[in-house]
Structures are given as structure tokens and as C-alpha cells.
Amino acid sequence: MTGKTPARERLLNAAAELFYREGVGATGIDTITAHAGVAKMSLYNNFSSKADLVEAYMQRRLEEWRELLQERLSHAATPRERVLAVFDSYVDHAALAYEWGFRGCGLLNAAGELAPGDPGRAVVAFQKEEVERLFREHLLDMQPAAGTSIDETAQHLSFLLEGAMSRAGLEGHDARLKTARKIAVSILEQL
């Protein structure tokens, strides 16, 4: 992290690594500022509190995933391919292979440490709802007359993906995500 990188960016980069690697609660302000190479006052000039930094970190992870998803969707020609693009975006996110070790969904990891009602949890809930909405949308494109069974299938795919991400995080690699994609293919073949 060079001195030419703005302090806010350096703080977000440091927080991204430390929150993901060590956890939100275990990472103090002093550790973040030292890792970012900025004075403590720089943190408070850019974020009103650690909670504000945590929320910015979570928003950044959400945007990071969305960029990967958009890249995958840009190459998906059919509704089936768009459903699988959501799975592939999770594999891509895992494949960023943070040099500090893959630990699963950074959003869920952080949310698990936050109190109910914390704004950061709303970011996570939004992303998980967005995934299910995307599944529903693409499934409806595949089977416009399917009715409420589409809602159940979208929820099933969402649970499959999130469960696979949880297991992948525990195991430290993306094999469960790849297996979940294969299961999704078999589900889609039955529609």
C-alpha cells in the first residue's frame, strides 16, 4: 500500500484483509490503521466509527461479487446459463483466493459477528435476497408458466448455494461450490 493511495482506500484494503482473515470483532482500530500505514485520525476522518468501516467493507464485498456476477452474466446466453452464472460468480469470488486463506462468504462471516439490527446485516440480507431473486427471474425465463413452483426452486437453489458456500468456507476451498453447481445442473435438467 503506497503513500499515493488515498487513506480511505488503504483503510478499506486493510479492513478487507483483516476482517476476512481475523474477523470483525478480533480486529481493532489500531491494527487496521497500522496495517493501512495511516494515522488513527485518518480512520476517523474517513469513517465515523469502526461500525461505519465495517459497513463500508461489507458494501465493498457486495460490489466485488456483483462485478464478478455481471462478468459471468455478460457471457450467459440462455436463462439456464444465467442461473449457473450465479453459481459461477460464487466460485469466482472464492477463486480470488485471498492470499490470507479462503474462509467462505465474507459477508456471512461478518454478519455472524454483528448484533441483530446492525446495518451491516441488512447488506448481507440484501445480497442473499438478490441471489434468490436472480434465480427466480432466470427460472421464470426458462419456464414462464411454472407458477409457484419457480419460487420453491429458486429458494432451493439459493439454499444449495449458500450451504455449499458455508461448507466451502469450513474446508478452505471451493470444491463444495463446484459440486453445488453440478447439483444445480441436474435440478435444471428436471425442469
Side-chain angles (χ1 to χ4, degrees):
M1 292 183 222
T2 68
K4 294 181 181 184
T5 304
R8 179 179 175 82
E9 191 67 21
R10 291 164 62 192
L11 287 161
L12 277 170
N13 291 341
E17 178 181 344
L18 295 168
F19 289 162
Y20 190 81
R21 186 179 72 208
E22 306 294 333
V24 171
T27 304
I29 296 297
D30 292 338
T31 303
I32 294 167
T33 56
H35 197 71
V38 300
K40 195 176 201 176
M41 188 49 88
S42 291
L43 185 132
Y44 294 110
N45 287 338
N46 287 280
F47 302 96
S48 62
S49 62
K50 180 181 176 185
D52 188 32
L53 176 61
V54 170
E55 188 175 357
Y57 156 71
M58 295 175 85
Q59 286 289 348
R60 180 188 240 192
R61 285 197 63 88
L62 174 61
E63 290 307 313
E64 185 178 76
W65 168 74
R66 280 183 169 157
E67 288 172 12
L68 294 168
L69 174 64
Q70 288 309 311
E71 177 62 25
R72 284 293 185 162
L73 288 173
S74 72
H75 300 290
T78 66
R80 180 181 183 277
E81 290 174 357
R82 288 191 287 277
V83 168
L84 296 175
V86 178
F87 280 85
D88 293 337
S89 71
Y90 270 52
V91 173
D92 293 344
H93 213 191
L96 290 178
Y98 302 114
E99 59 266 15
W100 46 89
F102 176 65
R103 295 187 54 233
C105 178
L107 289 173
L108 279 178
N109 292 347
E113 294 188 56
L114 303 176
D118 186 286
R121 290 177 70 97
V123 172
V124 180
F126 176 81
Q127 191 268 336
K128 303 311 174 191
E129 290 165 7
E130 183 175 4
V131 166
E132 193 169 321
R133 181 192 57 76
L134 288 166
F135 285 144
R136 186 178 303 107
E137 176 183 310
H138 302 316
L139 289 167
L140 276 171
D141 288 344
M142 286 177 66
Q143 300 284 327
T148 58
S149 67
I150 291 298
D151 292 338
E152 292 173 8
T153 304
Q155 188 176 59
H156 186 112
L157 290 172
S158 175
F159 291 168
L160 172 64
L161 181 56
E162 295 305 331
M165 179 56 94
S166 294
R167 290 289 301 272
L170 286 172
E171 295 167 4
H173 54 79
D174 65 3
R176 295 288 180 167
L177 291 167
K178 291 176 179 175
T179 299
R181 187 189 191 280
K182 290 176 187 173
I183 295 168
V185 168
S186 69
I187 291 169
L188 294 174
E189 287 172 352
Q190 295 174 24
L191 294 180

